[in-house]
Amino acid sequence: YRLIRELRPKKILEIGTQGGCSAVAMAYAMRDNGMEVDITCIDPFLPTGDNDGLSTLSEWYKNVSESGYLEKGIRLMMTTSQNYLPFT
């Protein structure tokens, strides 16, 4: 939150979003700066040592939806960064 408040980025690309809590915190920081929220989260949500795939995806949707920024500033791309970055 503090980093986003200080640096004031216009857009954020989060690679690896897991439960979405950091995306929500960044959205609140952008909001508090009076900026438009523009965050893209990339995560394939595959089972790994850090998460268990689809249930983590459900947690992401719950957290981001409760923030009010689902599709209104925070977008999810269910892919890998290697697959997404050539399109940006």
Side-chain angles (χ1 to χ4, degrees), residues 1-9 27-36:
Y1 178 90
R2 291 188 331 206
L3 183 63
I4 301 306
R5 286 294 308 261
E6 185 173 323
L7 294 179
R8 302 179 61 83
Y28 289 159
M30 293 178 90
R31 175 202 64 196
D32 293 348
N33 278 342
M35 303 172 71
E36 181 178 340

Side-chain angles (χ1 to χ4, degrees), residues 1-73:
Y1 178 90
R2 291 188 331 206
L3 183 63
I4 301 306
R5 286 294 308 261
E6 185 173 323
L7 294 179
R8 302 179 61 83
K10 293 179 183 175
K11 295 181 178 191
I12 296 172
L13 176 63
E14 179 181 50
I15 299 175
T17 188
Q18 199 158 353
C21 294
S22 59
V24 169
M26 291 185 288
Y28 289 159
M30 293 178 90
R31 175 202 64 196
D32 293 348
N33 278 342
M35 303 172 71
E36 181 178 340
V37 175
D38 190 353
I39 300 171
T40 301
C41 302
I42 299 175
D43 199 310
F45 287 98
L46 301 174
T48 68
D50 293 338
N51 68 63
D52 55 358
L54 294 180
S55 66
T56 304
L57 174 61
S58 295
E59 180 183 341
W60 187 91
Y61 273 106
K62 177 184 175 292
N63 292 331
V64 175
S65 180
E66 288 176 357
S67 76
Y69 286 103
L70 182 61
E71 300 302 325
K72 296 176 184 165

Side-chain angles (χ1 to χ4, degrees), residues 70-81:
L70 182 61
E71 300 302 325
K72 296 176 184 165
I74 300 177
R75 290 166 307 287
L76 175 63
M77 303 302 295
M78 285 185 54
T79 188
T80 64
S81 58

